[in-house]
Amino acid sequence: MDIDELYYDAVDLLKAMIATESVSREEKTVADVIEAAMRGYGLGVRRAGNNLWVESNDFDPAKPTILLNSHIDTVKPVEGWTRDPFTPDVTDDDVLYGLGSNDAGASVVTLMGAFRYLTAHEQPCNYIFLASCEEEVSGKNGVEKVLPMLPKIDVAIVGEPTQLEPAIAEKGLMVLDGEAIGVAGHAARNEGVNAIYKAIEAIGRLRAVRFERDSELLGPVKVTVAQINAGTQHNVVPDRCTMVVDVRTTDASDNLATLSVLRDAVGDLCTLTPRSTRLNPSGIDQGHSLVRRLVMMGKKPFGSPTLSDQALMPFPSLKLGPGDSARSHTADEYIKLGEILEALHTYCTLLDGYKV
């Protein structure tokens, strides 16, 4: 199969995706567009909700299986766009503007193209291409819903804008709800226990926490108090202060281990309750054959601070895709057409004939 033909198909499909609003949890219409395109390519599509996937025609359970995955949903357009975010616009210098062009539409269409290229002839591995939903909100109806329906996966490539350099480690995420309890009193008298003061001391302890070791690729666990709220009026000592803590975990300290350290640090000053512990740090061993192959191609592995569906994958995975993470969630988001062609060449060169 000719890569140039795949390139033109990829660009056309990406334009159609941009022209179809696909905010997280509202992806049905864009899923319909992608399904129609896949069927037009002769792919036997399976669907669960707004998730679409296809397996190698000659799927052999005795062979290892590689998952090629990216997401079809977008964030809402931010203020500041100077163009219509839902009108695909290609400039004279071959730059395609539009919401989701960079994050992660270009990855969706190029991984699909690579799947078509690879499965056109016999391979040492099975391939599954999965276009999933709800990634931007870490929703439970996306990858997490589909993985139990798939055959055993040996390794995954997750399409995200990484400038086609492999992100082989990724930080996890916990959001903690903190609550400090005091005793109400009149502000004019020396009465009560001020919950704000307890929260301030707890915040100081959180800032001072040091973990036993840092991750080689991701650095230290990052703890950020992002919101705080207390008080009803100026003359009442507040008896309750709440806060929200953003925690970015690493392979050196997963979510549950990190939570234990933070709770020990604040002691009885406040409670820390996780909204979820399911979004753990993820990645792949630097000695994995897929990573070694990328290094042989001149690629430079790195650790990524941003979260993706890797967090929900209980098998080795890496992020690799066209575009730049710095363009994601910004006004006038764009992808260069040359990046789409380069991604097709990179994926196909990396995986054609590859043995896990």
Side-chain angles (χ1 to χ4, degrees), residues 259-270:
L259 178 60
S260 178
V261 170
L262 298 180
R263 281 175 166 168
D264 287 345
V266 299
D268 59 1
L269 288 170
C270 74

Side-chain angles (χ1 to χ4, degrees), residues 169-285:
E170 176 183 271
K171 287 189 174 182
L173 169 67
M174 274 194 305
V175 178
L176 307 179
D177 289 306
E179 182 180 50
I181 299 298
V183 177
H186 197 297
R189 297 190 293 269
N190 189 23
E191 294 177 347
V193 176
N194 195 318
I196 292 177
Y197 296 163
K198 291 182 69 175
I200 289 172
E201 185 175 349
I203 291 169
R205 293 188 186 183
L206 291 175
R207 293 186 65 186
V209 166
R210 296 294 179 268
F211 292 82
E212 288 186 6
R213 65 185 183 93
D214 292 343
S215 167
E216 180 181 348
L217 288 170
L218 298 171
V221 172
K222 193 170 188 304
V223 181
T224 304
V225 178
Q227 294 174 267
I228 189 165
N229 184 64
T232 56
Q233 59 192 59
H234 74 90
N235 58 353
V236 177
V237 172
D239 60 359
R240 181 173 181 266
C241 181
T242 61
M243 56 184 169
V244 177
V245 187
D246 180 288
V247 183
R248 304 290 168 151
T249 52
T250 75
D251 52 339
S253 182
D254 67 16
N255 287 358
L256 290 177
T258 300
L259 178 60
S260 178
V261 170
L262 298 180
R263 281 175 166 168
D264 287 345
V266 299
D268 59 1
L269 288 170
C270 74
T271 58
L272 294 174
T273 304
R275 296 179 184 178
S276 169
T277 58
R278 61 193 255 275
L279 301 176
N280 272 295
S282 57
I284 190 169
D285 189 276

Side-chain angles (χ1 to χ4, degrees), residues 63-323:
K63 293 180 179 179
T65 299
I66 299 175
L67 175 66
L68 308 177
N69 163 247
S70 191
H71 64 93
I72 65 175
D73 59 317
T74 71
V75 297
K76 294 180 179 179
V78 298
E79 293 185 9
W81 277 81
T82 63
R83 306 163 183 269
D84 180 354
F86 302 109
T87 298
D89 183 12
V90 179
T91 63
D92 292 339
D93 54 351
D94 288 335
V95 175
L96 172 57
Y97 287 88
L99 183 65
S101 56
N102 177 77
D103 184 18
S107 291
V108 171
V109 298
T110 52
L111 283 171
M112 186 192 303
F115 175 89
R116 293 170 63 196
Y117 179 89
L118 294 164
T119 56
H121 52 280
E122 187 176 357
Q123 296 286 346
C125 298
N126 302 308
Y127 285 94
I128 299 174
F129 168 71
L130 168 63
S132 52
C133 66
E134 295 193 7
E135 189 272 349
E136 296 289 5
V137 292
S138 300
K140 294 193 174 184
N141 289 318
V143 160
E144 191 171 20
K145 178 178 181 178
V146 177
L147 288 182
M149 305 178 189
L150 302 181
K152 176 182 176 291
I153 304 298
D154 292 273
V155 66
I157 294 177
V158 177
E160 290 283 345
T162 68
Q163 297 180 300
L164 288 172
E165 301 290 351
I168 64 170
E170 176 183 271
K171 287 189 174 182
L173 169 67
M174 274 194 305
V175 178
L176 307 179
D177 289 306
E179 182 180 50
I181 299 298
V183 177
H186 197 297
R189 297 190 293 269
N190 189 23
E191 294 177 347
V193 176
N194 195 318
I196 292 177
Y197 296 163
K198 291 182 69 175
I200 289 172
E201 185 175 349
I203 291 169
R205 293 188 186 183
L206 291 175
R207 293 186 65 186
V209 166
R210 296 294 179 268
F211 292 82
E212 288 186 6
R213 65 185 183 93
D214 292 343
S215 167
E216 180 181 348
L217 288 170
L218 298 171
V221 172
K222 193 170 188 304
V223 181
T224 304
V225 178
Q227 294 174 267
I228 189 165
N229 184 64
T232 56
Q233 59 192 59
H234 74 90
N235 58 353
V236 177
V237 172
D239 60 359
R240 181 173 181 266
C241 181
T242 61
M243 56 184 169
V244 177
V245 187
D246 180 288
V247 183
R248 304 290 168 151
T249 52
T250 75
D251 52 339
S253 182
D254 67 16
N255 287 358
L256 290 177
T258 300
L259 178 60
S260 178
V261 170
L262 298 180
R263 281 175 166 168
D264 287 345
V266 299
D268 59 1
L269 288 170
C270 74
T271 58
L272 294 174
T273 304
R275 296 179 184 178
S276 169
T277 58
R278 61 193 255 275
L279 301 176
N280 272 295
S282 57
I284 190 169
D285 189 276
Q286 295 190 54
H288 192 283
S289 57
L290 193 60
V291 179
R292 295 201 311 268
R293 192 159 172 142
L294 282 160
V295 171
M296 289 175 63
M297 291 171 62
K299 301 297 182 181
K300 297 179 180 179
F302 71 101
S304 172
T306 57
L307 193 71
S308 75
D309 277 333
Q310 276 187 284
L312 300 168
M313 295 181 179
F315 40 76
S317 60
L318 60 83
K319 284 194 300 196
L320 181 74

